[in-house]
Amino acid sequence: MIDTHAHIYAEEFEEDIEEVVNRAIEVRIDKILMPNIDANSIDAMLRLEEKYEGVCYAMMGLHPCYVKGDYKEQLSVVEEWFTKRDFLAVGEIGTDLYWDKIYKDQQVEAFHFQCEIALKYDLPVVIHCRESLDENIAMVEEYSGKGLKGVFHCFTGSIDQAERIVDQGFYLGLGGVSTFKNGGLDKIIPHLDKSKIVLETDAPYLAPTPKRGKRNEPKLLIYICEKIAKYLKMSIKEVNELTTENAETLFFPEPT
């Protein structure tokens, strides 16, 4: 399996990161994809990628919750890193209107700035859209036909919203919320385009049932896979193979 979204460089993992990675590998999670947060998280993320080469893969971006007064300086750091080395994707980008809307305009500006980087380097974007799914879908639709690609991380939307996302060639990231009793995704997931779903944990956040409320980690992806298999009336093996192939297509495309 591939965990397409995990912040395992975060301080929550400082004491036992080696055990966390080993536990993931033991349950056959062979790739862990790491979206960046801001300039302060880069060093820890890159150290982890270097230590676990071929397992941990770094992205580069500015998370919307970290778009503050210094966002232009932060975006300059992001842009400069793409001139230094390759990254798997541009992310995590988007908008978050859950806590406050003070920097909404700056989040939108940062979104477009980073989408242009993605187009320049032909990379996927990883989109965070808490309390702002429609706004982010509309922004992606502005790039229709320009080659923008990526995934809507932590998808919790409607069937109609999913169809709009897939119509733009984007994927849907399914995580811990898929397992929540009142998450509502049991009614949505059976109707999704199976060729456009990928699995994620968002570790250390959003641990799936039966570990809800505890620290999330990549090995818990198995619970998400099991629940989605139940919704789709498929075997765990089939969902594993399907979502792994989807993630490979998006993040590790064959060179042309």
Side-chain angles (χ1 to χ4, degrees), residues 8 11 19 26-27 90 140-141 148 256:
I8 58 170
E11 62 182 12
E19 290 88 344
E26 284 171 7
V27 297
V90 180
V140 163
E141 288 171 341
L148 190 67
T256 55

Side-chain angles (χ1 to χ4, degrees), residues 32 70 93 103 109 115 139 144 180 193 231 248:
I32 301 169
D70 66 344
I93 73 172
Y103 290 101
E109 183 182 339
C115 283
M139 288 194 292
S144 184
F180 295 172
D193 183 338
Y231 295 153
E248 294 276 1

Side-chain angles (χ1 to χ4, degrees), residues 125 127 129 132-138 140-141 144 148-174 192-193 196-197:
V125 294
I127 297 177
C129 46
S132 55
L133 180 54
D134 281 330
E135 290 89 340
N136 280 267
I137 295 173
V140 163
E141 288 171 341
S144 184
L148 190 67
K149 58 193 174 186
V151 58
F152 276 73
H153 148 63
C154 194
F155 177 75
T156 55
S158 66
I159 296 170
D160 288 342
Q161 288 169 323
E163 289 175 348
R164 287 176 65 192
I165 290 167
V166 170
D167 282 348
Q168 296 304 314
F170 272 66
Y171 289 71
L172 305 162
L174 301 179
L192 299 181
D193 183 338
K196 293 293 184 181
I197 60 174

Side-chain angles (χ1 to χ4, degrees), residues 58-201:
M59 308 178 194
M60 180 54 60
L62 176 62
H63 191 295
C65 289
Y66 294 79
V67 172
K68 306 295 183 184
D70 66 344
Y71 76 102
K72 289 188 177 180
E73 290 84 355
Q74 291 274 350
L75 290 173
S76 293
V77 172
V78 169
E79 186 176 34
E80 184 179 358
W81 267 106
F82 280 100
T83 68
K84 296 178 180 179
R85 50 154 287 173
D86 294 333
F87 287 94
L88 194 68
V90 180
E92 159 175 11
I93 73 172
T95 61
D96 190 310
L97 305 183
Y98 179 77
W99 296 109
D100 61 56
K101 301 177 178 63
I102 295 173
Y103 290 101
K104 177 182 178 181
D105 291 344
Q106 290 83 355
Q107 288 182 16
V108 170
E109 183 182 339
F111 177 92
H112 288 296
F113 183 90
Q114 293 178 97
C115 283
E116 292 299 330
I117 292 176
L119 291 173
K120 179 179 179 179
Y121 293 99
D122 191 25
L123 292 172
V125 294
V126 174
I127 297 177
H128 172 112
C129 46
R130 193 176 189 188
E131 299 294 325
S132 55
L133 180 54
D134 281 330
E135 290 89 340
N136 280 267
I137 295 173
M139 288 194 292
V140 163
E141 288 171 341
E142 293 178 34
Y143 293 88
S144 184
K146 295 182 180 179
L148 190 67
K149 58 193 174 186
V151 58
F152 276 73
H153 148 63
C154 194
F155 177 75
T156 55
S158 66
I159 296 170
D160 288 342
Q161 288 169 323
E163 289 175 348
R164 287 176 65 192
I165 290 167
V166 170
D167 282 348
Q168 296 304 314
F170 272 66
Y171 289 71
L172 305 162
L174 301 179
V177 178
S178 304
T179 71
F180 295 172
K181 184 176 181 181
N182 298 316
L185 286 174
D186 57 319
K187 306 287 196 303
I188 305 297
I189 289 174
H191 302 281
L192 299 181
D193 183 338
K194 295 180 182 63
S195 71
K196 293 293 184 181
I197 60 174
V198 295
L199 303 181
E200 60 177 43
T201 59

